[in-house]
Amino acid sequence: MDPPQFIGKRVRLAKILPGGRSVIFAFDHGVEHGPQEIPRARRDARKLMQEIVDAGVDAVMTTPGIARLTWDIWAGRTAMIVKLTGKTSLRPSEDQLLQSIIGSVGEAAAVGADAVAATVYWGSPLEDLMLERWARIRLEAESLGMPALQLAYPRGPAIKDRYAVEIVEYGARAAMESGADLIKTYYTGSEETFRRVVEAASGIPVLMSGGAKTQSPLDFLEKVYSVIRAGGQGVVVGRNVFQATSIEAMVVAIREVVHKGVEPSKAAELLGEA
Ligand code: FBP
């Protein structure tokens, strides 16, 4: 029989990626960008969690504090991924290439999380420290049968264009080789280039990091469509959902593309605004 940790990881991954794909809501902007990034009417974390869960995302990736504060809203309704690293944009620029530990695997397991997440800035002068932390987090998670999602973000002084395919595929490959169970990384601009990222990950699920709000919802849905056609497993999206006119309509439209492969223009009709 398979060891329980192996089974636990499979069970939790099946919950996060129902049918093999996932729409994950990124809910860590209060730390990473500041609360100003979130529209005023949606700044209350409990209210926003309620809206997101009701809209029907497959999972939420959030900070330990929000996971604790909102447990009664997401429990039994959506998978939970607790992100254990973070940094604010208030730091001096020379300290921006490192994330700090803001919680533990034990705490994530205690609140009922299905997975943990941590950022690695591939190419940072502090890559060594980030990798040491990453290794500790994912090994501890694995011992409890929990998968670990890596936010594989190439950034550092030697990286001219963090969205270039050679750079993103390198980061995805490094994420796979450093033991990630799920990889969240940048969109490279096209289906053809993103396919290289997926190939580099060699079967480990790759999800696109949403990025800043696009000019129109249709533009975002087109990116999502390319990711799915390239073999990616979905998206981890924040701003393009919580800055949307209707959170619910946007989540439904993204789900159509991710889970049913519906063409972006068709999915955008659900928004009535694209
Ligand atoms: P978005 O869809 O809003 O881009 O969210 C994805 C995310 O990775 C968040 O988890 C995080 O807060 C933010 O983007 C990181 O932003 P930056 O790339 O500016 O560090």
Side-chain angles (χ1 to χ4, degrees):
M1 213 190 287
D2 289 322
Q5 294 86 347
F6 176 88
I7 298 170
K9 255 202 204 184
R10 293 291 157 305
V11 167
R12 291 179 172 96
L13 282 171
K15 196 171 158 198
I16 295 165
L17 299 149
R21 293 192 187 152
S22 196
V23 177
I24 303 176
F25 180 60
F27 198 175
D28 59 341
H29 299 70
V31 173
E32 301 282 333
H33 292 270
Q36 304 84 347
E37 196 82 5
I38 308 167
R40 200 99 188 253
R42 293 175 173 158
R43 224 169 269 172
D44 181 291
R46 284 185 58 83
K47 280 195 197 142
L48 182 53
M49 181 66 87
Q50 188 71 61
E51 234 187 302
I52 287 299
V53 169
D54 289 346
V57 297
D58 298 302
V60 173
M61 183 199 76
T62 194
T63 51
I66 289 183
R68 290 170 81 134
L69 185 73
T70 61
W71 72 270
D72 54 321
I73 299 169
W74 53 265
R77 296 198 59 201
T78 184
M80 173 53 62
I81 304 169
V82 176
K83 183 166 171 249
L84 299 176
T85 64
K87 68 149 178 64
T88 69
S89 53
L90 299 172
R91 286 183 184 184
S93 53
E94 62 272 22
D95 297 329
Q96 287 290 338
L97 290 171
L98 176 68
Q99 293 226 335
S100 305
I101 297 292
I102 57 168
S104 72
V105 173
E107 178 190 14
V111 300
D114 299 287
V116 293
T119 300
V120 175
Y121 293 139
W122 294 103
S124 161
L126 296 163
E127 189 189 273
D128 179 54
L129 179 56
M130 296 197 94
L131 281 177
E132 207 180 298
R133 291 174 178 175
W134 160 256
R136 229 179 298 136
I137 287 170
R138 66 123 184 137
L139 287 170
E140 199 183 336
E142 188 164 80
S143 73
L144 298 173
M146 288 171 88
L149 179 153
Q150 184 181 119
L151 291 90
Y153 285 179
R155 51 179 85 170
I159 294 174
K160 305 262 173 303
D161 176 6
R162 63 173 73 154
Y163 306 105
V165 61
E166 300 75 20
I167 299 295
V168 179
E169 72 180 344
Y170 194 161
R173 180 67 179 211
M176 179 276 279
E177 295 201 20
S178 60
D181 300 296
L182 295 159
I183 300 167
K184 169 181 190 260
T185 195
Y186 303 133
Y187 182 57
T188 47
S190 68
E191 180 186 325
E192 292 66 39
T193 53
F194 205 77
R195 184 164 293 123
R196 282 175 50 181
V197 178
V198 171
E199 281 166 8
S202 312
I204 298 298
V206 178
L207 299 121
M208 175 184 84
S209 186
K213 192 174 176 220
T214 51
Q215 273 217 312
S216 75
L218 178 59
D219 292 343
F220 185 70
L221 295 171
E222 276 168 352
K223 281 163 76 172
V224 177
Y225 188 66
S226 309
V227 165
I228 296 301
R229 299 212 14 128
Q233 269 74 17
V235 285
V236 187
V237 50
R239 287 165 284 185
N240 278 283
V241 164
F242 67 68
Q243 294 174 355
T245 311
S246 161
I247 286 181
E248 193 194 349
M250 191 62 182
V251 169
V252 170
I254 296 171
R255 288 188 64 86
E256 288 290 296
V257 178
V258 169
H259 288 293
K260 300 187 196 154
V262 167
E263 289 201 8
S265 55
K266 264 250 153 289
E269 284 171 16
L270 297 164
L271 297 159
E273 55 164 314

